[in-house]
């Protein structure tokens, strides 16, 4: 929503969101949308830290992609310059492609050949090039809208495909404690955020007549939490298939993560003593006394 011109000049992005530009800081176009993007970075870093050992590298790539989405969102909302819009959108596409690969190749034996990941990578690369090419015409309003809806349409269809696969995984894991609750929580939070995204996009004028609740900023918060939570289901399923006995665990009853049954042993200074070893140690202590 154009209100004033700040450090980065007039917005050239496809969409100027409902937050008043440069209202809080002369150097940040959309302060609250930029600040809330930190949630994506935190989700990616937290996920990388909690799943750094014992998990497939594909999931590390997913968490890295979430982190890049956050940085891209900061560049985009902080400047509202059209080229920086790609730093926000392209990592989102690659995140979905990696997750799409993960929910399809979730068995011990690969169902598809090398052509599958190569095709997905080429798809993401071609899509990125298309966005960048269309960006050359950012001064043309029609071309900007074409690019926007190509991205939104592709993102929506890919999200539906991934979500349907995750539903199938949850049904298969219906007896696993915590999976159903994680699915319901992640889906509910995502739906609330997505409704807020649409209200912010379509009813900005009406909201500003009353009070702007910064719904797009809240969308960043809900999207980071829900995408992270649903990714955990794919991680859990893959780990269970590989026989690693995963468990859904929580930090402060808010932040979930997948723990492996042998993870506590990784941090023990030494192995647990057997009863015979313990008895021998007690005898040695008695002799010394």
């Amino acid at each position: 929503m154009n209100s004033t011109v700040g450090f980065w000049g007039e917005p050239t992005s496809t969409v100027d969101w409902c937050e008043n530009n440069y209202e809080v800081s002369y150097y940040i176009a959309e302060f609250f949308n930029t600040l809330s993007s930190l949630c994506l970075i935190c989700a990616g870093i937290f996920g990388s830290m909690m799943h750094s050992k014992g998990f497939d590298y594909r999931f590390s790539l997913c968490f890295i992609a979430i982190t890049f989405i956050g940085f891209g969102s900061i560049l985009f909302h902080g400047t509202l310059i059209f080229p920086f819009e790609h730093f926000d959108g392209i990592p989102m596409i690659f995140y979905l492609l990696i997750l799409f690969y993960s929910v399809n190749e979730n068995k011990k034996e690969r169902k598809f050949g090398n052509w599958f990941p190569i095709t997905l990578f080429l798809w993401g690369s071609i899509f990125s090039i298309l966005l960048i090419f269309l960006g050359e015409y950012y001064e043309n309003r029609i071309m900007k809208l074409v690019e926007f809806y190509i991205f939104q349409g592709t993102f929506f269809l890919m999200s539906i495909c991934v979500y349907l696969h995750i539903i199938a995984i949850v049904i298969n894991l219906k007896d696993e404690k915590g999976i159903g609750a994680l699915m319901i929580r992640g889906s509910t939070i995502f739906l609330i955020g997505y409704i807020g995204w649409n209200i912010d996009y379509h009813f900005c004028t009406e909201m500003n007549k009353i009070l702007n609740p910064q719904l797009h900023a809240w969308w960043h918060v809900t999207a980071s939490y829900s995408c992270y939570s649903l990714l955990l289901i794919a991680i859990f399923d893959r780990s269970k298939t590989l026989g690693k006995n995963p468990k859904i665990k929580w930090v402060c009853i808010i932040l979930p993560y997948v723990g492996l049954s042998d993870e506590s042993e990784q941090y023990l200074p030494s192995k647990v003593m057997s009863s015979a070893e313990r008895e021998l140690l007690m005898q040695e202590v008695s002799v010394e006394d």
Side-chain angles (χ1 to χ4, degrees), residues 4-131:
T4 186
V5 177
F7 180 80
W8 301 98
E10 288 285 351
T12 59
S13 59
T14 302
V15 179
D16 188 357
W17 302 98
C18 196
E19 181 178 353
N20 290 328
N21 300 337
Y22 300 103
E23 187 174 49
V24 177
S25 172
Y26 174 77
Y27 299 97
I28 302 176
E30 295 178 340
F31 181 82
F32 293 106
N33 287 345
T34 301
L35 182 65
S36 61
S37 299
L38 290 173
C39 291
L40 291 158
I41 297 176
C42 291
I45 293 176
F46 178 79
S48 297
M49 292 174 57
M50 301 304 292
H51 305 90
S52 60
K53 295 181 180 180
F55 300 92
D56 289 1
Y57 184 66
R58 66 180 74 171
F59 300 119
S60 295
L61 291 177
C62 280
F63 289 122
I64 291 172
I66 292 176
T67 305
F68 271 96
I69 293 170
F71 281 116
S73 184
I74 287 175
L75 285 174
F76 170 43
H77 289 289
T79 65
L80 290 180
I81 295 177
F82 182 77
F84 286 161
E85 199 168 323
H86 302 316
F87 290 89
D88 178 52
I90 291 175
M92 294 169 64
I93 295 298
F94 275 98
Y95 164 78
L96 281 175
L97 288 174
I98 299 169
L99 188 53
F100 182 73
Y101 171 82
S102 300
V103 295
N104 279 280
E105 289 287 6
N106 60 341
K107 305 301 180 184
K108 288 184 178 180
E109 300 294 332
R110 292 179 61 178
K111 293 188 293 185
F112 308 105
N114 292 330
W115 65 267
F116 186 47
I118 292 175
T119 301
L120 293 178
F121 177 77
L122 289 176
W123 182 11
S125 300
I126 293 172
F127 184 83
S128 302
I129 293 172
L130 178 62
L131 289 182

Side-chain angles (χ1 to χ4, degrees), residues 187-229:
S187 300
T188 302
I189 291 175
F190 181 87
L191 181 60
I192 292 172
Y194 188 66
I195 292 173
W197 184 95
N198 279 279
I199 294 174
D200 182 271
Y201 182 68
H202 294 288
F203 302 101
C204 178
T205 303
E206 288 76 7
M207 284 194 303
N208 278 305
K209 290 179 181 178
I210 309 173
L211 176 66
N212 189 342
Q214 306 299 340
L215 292 179
H216 192 85
W218 285 107
W219 156 251
H220 290 159
V221 178
T222 58
S224 60
Y225 189 87
S226 57
C227 290
Y228 170 83
S229 298

